Amino acid sequence: MNLSDLATPAALIDEARMMRNIERMQQRMAALGVRLRPHVKTSKCVEVAQRQCDAGARGIAVSTLKEAEQFFAAGFSDILYAVGIAPSKLDRALALCRSGCALTVIVDSLATAQAVIAKVRMSGHAFDVMIEIDSDGHRSGVKSGDPVLIEIGEALRSGGMTIKGVMTHAGSSYDLDTPDALHALAERERGEAVRAAERLRAAGLPCPEVSVGSTPTALSAAQLDGVTEVRAGVYVFFDLVMSNVGICGVQDVALSVLATVIGHQPEKGWAIVDAGWMAMSRDRGTQRQKIDYGYGAICDAAGHPIDGLILVGANQEHGIVSHRGAPDAAIARHLPIGTQIRILPNHACATGTQFSEYHMLNARGVAQTWRRFDGW
Amino acid sequence: MNLSDLATPAALIDEARMMRNIERMQQRMAALGVRLRPHVKTSKCVEVAQRQCDAGARGIAVSTLKEAEQFFAAGFSDILYAVGIAPSKLDRALALCRSGCALTVIVDSLATAQAVIAKVRMSGHAFDVMIEIDSDGHRSGVKSGDPVLIEIGEALRSGGMTIKGVMTHAGSSYDLDTPDALHALAERERGEAVRAAERLRAAGLPCPEVSVGSTPTALSAAQLDGVTEVRAGVYVFFDLVMSNVGICGVQDVALSVLATVIGHQPEKGWAIVDAGWMAMSRDRGTQRQKIDYGYGAICDAAGHPIDGLILVGANQEHGIVSHRGAPDAAIARHLPIGTQIRILPNHACATGTQFSEYHMLNARGVAQTWRRFDGW
């Protein structure tokens, strides 16, 4: 199948780029002496996750229990549900465990730990639990020095839970864009997680695993002493935000949206395409970065960037393509109606989720169509 | 079923509010003497569209051919595909017409008109076509005074097409927030569409229909002389953007996202919930408006706004709830773990699309679950 056979908009994966991204991260983790647990929330795709595991990854992280159920049904059994579990979701988690899934849940409060313990008392099943650590103040987790960390650990142990260890995610790495700042945050992420682990162990509590990670810190860490595994998601596709962060190039972005030119406003230098925010998502992650790509960077159908052309605006099913500089008065001649273009996304996780399937491109053209999971 | 039985995040429709919104728009159109053609891209839901038609709407507008196919299969036959058609989509449109769907396509260039004509020559089927007019410069369409308008009309007629009329959408109305500005834009939208129709008629071309509309202009027009139908979409649910535009109140917003509190950062006054941008979308439409609601306005589970509480941040499956003013140091007591909240969206079209189903609430609780279409 050729690109011209696809109904637009369509999500494309460049297999060669993706495989290069997978190899790069796997080699880096091997060099640092840690296991890699890919976060499959980026792709939500069995074929993509399988390639990550084939390259050497061990286990997966998921962002929803539905992902856990779907990936478990597809043969993945070592699954970390990397969002603090709501007490109302414990029955669903329990059902997964009883089906044979090695599911780990995370907690960052005594209240949630007690809800898990209460469920265990009723069910007789001891959950594998990790304690979430707040290493950079951006979202969830217990501070490594907070007395409640030990209280949670003791509650889990006395409640009969299997304490698997600690995990943290330095998500503020997405806001950085210099190697020095990224390196420092990676070291902070490592240091806070290791410190939390050491405090638990000093209190006589088990803490076999120390799990850290975000794509930018994973690719910026100089050493990961005391860490046992790294989690990273967006590296598999990369995107324009990651390019601005400085950990990949635009030529590494493996996900794009195929679109068709449907109109022009020649005096404004606009071409109108059939990919709006429904296809690209509303993610404007590059808005405050070094280079603002609007809703995406425009490439020709072969995937070569067209210099200076971006998606300057997006309505639900309309995208507005324009040069970031002076308007191209001849845009209707350069991109006539019916022309196919490819748009690189700001944020691969957000753009991917707008589609129920990916079309995988290799040297032979559109080689396969892969399903993408959604929902909760 | 009760709210507490729903897995979160979940999309809720408040039936009473929705029915009030539907009645309001229908009565307004009746008073202005025009037909109402709801744009179903907002809900993508048969049960919602059926209620709009039951209240008096005639026909629907869609934003994708997949919507057209799905709504036609559900019994809707008068369908305007309100996005300029890509030549590569004409076969799919033709198949719909041949199945008995009264599908209208739109064109705004000679190139697209010629592509439609070429398809007609090959197929023998004459498409119903409207010419899109650019009434406010925000996106697509031909200017009402542009000579190409007549050229397109003549090409369509000589190509054997049925010219249904002209249509325009003053989408820049979303950027306004005063009654005077809205009133002026509604009059401009009407005036440009009517002027285009008059020019076509003066050239001896048929133009039976003059279709205009956006929710803000539809609710702001003082008169619609010369207009035959109005299209509007988001009014069925309304949202925080529309509240800031000034055409509804927060208490009219019929769509919300049910979420569960999963954690806290007490010193920051944060509650963490299980609705991030995957549930709310990345739409930050209120960012530059009078009141910035972050990623949404927080209500209790019964739907009553909690004063000053908004979703200040959103990651993929985490939302950060905080007061817009001073942090609430007692937020963990006010919103303990497991608490359900409802979040009103910035943009109903964007938030709705993150879900595959709606749960309809009436006085009896969660009364029905309705499917939502997606994809292309």
Side-chain angles (χ1 to χ4, degrees):
Chain A
M1 192 155 56
N2 298 312
L3 286 185
S4 56
D5 300 322
L6 294 178
T8 54
L12 308 180
I13 294 175
D14 181 315
E15 188 188 35
R17 291 184 182 192
M18 178 180 75
M19 292 309 297
R20 204 167 63 210
N21 297 340
I22 290 173
E23 283 302 322
R24 177 182 168 203
M25 183 63 85
Q26 193 64 49
Q27 285 173 10
R28 183 153 185 92
M29 294 304 103
L32 289 164
V34 294
R35 277 175 282 121
L36 172 64
R37 179 184 292 274
H39 204 317
V40 298
K41 77 182 180 72
T42 300
S43 72
K44 297 205 185 192
C45 175
V46 166
E47 289 81 356
V48 172
Q50 194 57 56
R51 278 160 179 75
Q52 293 170 293
C53 291
D54 290 347
R58 293 285 167 266
I60 59 173
V62 299
S63 66
T64 66
L65 283 179
K66 188 160 175 200
E67 280 168 63
E69 291 160 354
Q70 290 166 319
F71 278 94
F72 178 61
F76 296 77
S77 58
D78 174 1
I79 300 179
L80 170 65
Y81 172 40
V83 175
I85 189 150
S88 56
K89 291 175 182 158
L90 283 163
D91 281 331
R92 231 171 125 184
L94 188 61
L96 263 171
C97 296
R98 286 186 165 156
S99 304
C101 179
L103 181 75
T104 300
V105 301
I106 67 173
V107 302
D108 74 346
S109 70
L110 217 42
T112 301
Q114 282 157 353
V116 177
I117 292 163
K119 182 61 67 182
V120 170
R121 286 216 184 96
M122 288 169 61
S123 68
H125 173 84
F127 282 98
D128 288 349
V129 182
M130 289 184 118
I131 304 174
E132 184 174 12
I133 307 303
D134 178 10
S135 55
D136 68 345
H138 89 288
R139 191 172 70 196
S140 303
V142 181
K143 296 278 190 305
S144 65
D146 192 323
V148 82
L149 171 66
I150 308 300
E151 292 169 34
I152 293 171
E154 287 174 344
L156 290 173
R157 182 175 55 180
S158 63
M161 231 61 51
T162 306
I163 303 176
K164 274 197 73 178
V166 292
M167 60 84 75
T168 193
H169 165 60
S172 65
S173 59
Y174 281 51
D175 303 329
L176 306 178
D177 61 3
T178 66
D180 283 354
L182 286 163
H183 178 263
L185 184 60
E187 177 55 21
R188 180 172 164 192
E189 183 183 48
R190 184 200 72 81
E192 291 298 313
V194 169
R195 184 177 172 220
E198 286 169 351
R199 286 193 62 230
L200 286 167
R201 291 172 191 144
L205 292 159
C207 188
E209 299 290 340
V210 179
S211 176
V212 305
S214 72
T215 287
T217 51
L219 292 172
S220 303
Q223 55 97 0
L224 287 174
D225 294 352
V227 168
T228 61
E229 79 170 15
V230 166
R231 307 178 324 281
V234 78
Y235 78 90
V236 72
F237 291 153
F238 282 128
D239 53 30
L240 297 170
V241 164
M242 288 296 118
S243 166
N244 272 328
V245 167
I247 53 157
C248 71
V250 170
Q251 70 284 356
D252 297 318
V253 180
L255 180 71
S256 63
V257 172
L258 186 72
T260 302
V261 175
I262 60 169
H264 302 95
Q265 295 290 7
E267 77 287 359
K268 292 177 180 155
W270 289 357
I272 313 290
V273 296
D274 63 355
W277 59 253
M278 185 64 81
M280 301 308 301
S281 90
R282 270 291 196 198
D283 200 296
R284 286 283 289 107
T286 59
Q287 190 171 18
R288 289 179 202 158
Q289 290 189 306
K290 285 174 182 169
I291 303 175
D292 183 350
Y293 289 97
Y295 283 92
I298 310 299
C299 303
D300 62 22
H304 304 117
I306 305 178
D307 202 32
L309 221 54
I310 62 172
L311 203 64
V312 293
N315 296 143
Q316 188 157 337
E317 298 290 350
H318 296 81
I320 301 177
V321 172
S322 184
H323 272 272
R324 47 168 90 251
D328 175 6
I331 196 156
R333 204 171 66 237
H334 296 142
L335 294 176
I337 282 173
T339 306
Q340 285 189 333
I341 59 167
R342 281 161 71 174
I343 312 171
L344 303 179
N346 286 326
H347 188 176
C349 309
T351 300
T353 199
Q354 305 298 107
F355 294 86
S356 58
E357 59 189 22
Y358 301 107
H359 301 283
M360 186 273 275
L361 304 186
N362 61 20
R364 299 191 309 275
V366 182
Q368 291 177 31
T369 297
W370 294 341
R371 184 181 164 208
R372 191 187 193 286
F373 299 140
D374 66 358
W376 288 274
Chain B
M1 190 153 59
N2 298 312
L3 286 185
S4 56
D5 300 322
L6 295 178
T8 54
L12 308 179
I13 294 175
D14 181 315
E15 189 189 35
R17 291 184 182 192
M18 177 179 77
M19 292 310 297
R20 204 167 64 210
N21 298 340
I22 290 172
E23 282 303 321
R24 177 183 167 202
M25 182 63 84
Q26 193 64 50
Q27 285 172 10
R28 182 151 186 94
M29 294 305 102
L32 289 164
V34 294
R35 279 175 282 120
L36 172 63
R37 179 183 293 272
H39 204 318
V40 297
K41 77 182 178 74
T42 300
S43 73
K44 297 205 185 192
C45 175
V46 166
E47 289 82 356
V48 172
Q50 193 57 57
R51 278 159 179 75
Q52 293 170 294
C53 291
D54 290 348
R58 292 286 167 266
I60 59 173
V62 299
S63 66
T64 67
L65 284 179
K66 188 161 175 198
E67 281 168 62
E69 291 160 351
Q70 290 167 319
F71 278 94
F72 179 62
F76 296 77
S77 57
D78 175 1
I79 301 179
L80 170 65
Y81 172 41
V83 175
I85 188 151
S88 55
K89 290 175 182 158
L90 282 164
D91 281 331
R92 232 170 123 183
L94 188 61
L96 263 171
C97 296
R98 286 185 165 156
S99 305
C101 179
L103 181 75
T104 300
V105 300
I106 68 172
V107 302
D108 73 346
S109 70
L110 216 42
T112 302
Q114 282 157 351
V116 177
I117 292 162
K119 182 60 66 181
V120 171
R121 287 217 182 96
M122 287 169 61
S123 69
H125 173 84
F127 282 98
D128 288 351
V129 181
M130 290 185 117
I131 304 173
E132 184 174 12
I133 307 303
D134 178 10
S135 56
D136 67 346
H138 89 288
R139 190 173 69 196
S140 303
V142 180
K143 296 278 190 308
S144 65
D146 192 323
V148 82
L149 171 66
I150 308 301
E151 292 170 33
I152 293 170
E154 287 175 344
L156 291 173
R157 181 175 57 180
S158 64
M161 231 60 51
T162 306
I163 303 176
K164 273 196 74 177
V166 292
M167 60 84 75
T168 193
H169 166 60
S172 65
S173 59
Y174 281 50
D175 302 328
L176 307 177
D177 60 4
T178 67
D180 284 353
L182 286 163
H183 177 262
L185 183 60
E187 178 54 21
R188 179 172 165 193
E189 183 183 47
R190 184 201 72 81
E192 292 298 313
V194 169
R195 183 175 172 222
E198 286 169 350
R199 286 193 61 230
L200 286 167
R201 291 170 192 146
L205 292 159
C207 188
E209 299 291 340
V210 179
S211 176
V212 305
S214 73
T215 288
T217 52
L219 292 172
S220 303
Q223 56 97 1
L224 286 175
D225 293 353
V227 168
T228 61
E229 79 170 13
V230 166
R231 306 179 323 282
V234 76
Y235 77 91
V236 71
F237 291 153
F238 283 128
D239 53 30
L240 297 171
V241 164
M242 289 295 118
S243 167
N244 272 328
V245 167
I247 52 156
C248 71
V250 170
Q251 70 284 356
D252 297 318
V253 180
L255 180 70
S256 62
V257 172
L258 186 72
T260 302
V261 175
I262 59 169
H264 302 94
Q265 295 289 6
E267 78 286 1
K268 293 177 180 155
W270 288 358
I272 313 291
V273 296
D274 64 354
W277 59 251
M278 184 64 81
M280 300 309 300
S281 90
R282 270 292 196 197
D283 200 296
R284 286 284 289 107
T286 59
Q287 190 171 18
R288 289 180 203 157
Q289 291 188 305
K290 286 174 183 169
I291 303 175
D292 183 351
Y293 290 97
Y295 284 91
I298 310 299
C299 302
D300 63 21
H304 304 117
I306 306 177
D307 201 32
L309 221 54
I310 62 173
L311 203 63
V312 293
N315 295 143
Q316 188 156 338
E317 298 290 350
H318 296 81
I320 300 177
V321 172
S322 185
H323 272 273
R324 49 169 88 252
D328 175 6
I331 196 157
R333 203 170 67 238
H334 296 144
L335 294 175
I337 281 174
T339 306
Q340 285 189 333
I341 60 167
R342 282 162 69 174
I343 311 171
L344 302 179
N346 286 325
H347 187 178
C349 308
T351 300
T353 199
Q354 304 298 106
F355 294 86
S356 58
E357 59 188 21
Y358 301 108
H359 301 282
M360 186 273 275
L361 304 185
N362 61 20
R364 299 191 310 276
V366 183
Q368 291 177 32
T369 297
W370 294 341
R371 184 182 165 208
R372 191 187 194 284
F373 299 141
D374 65 359
W376 288 274

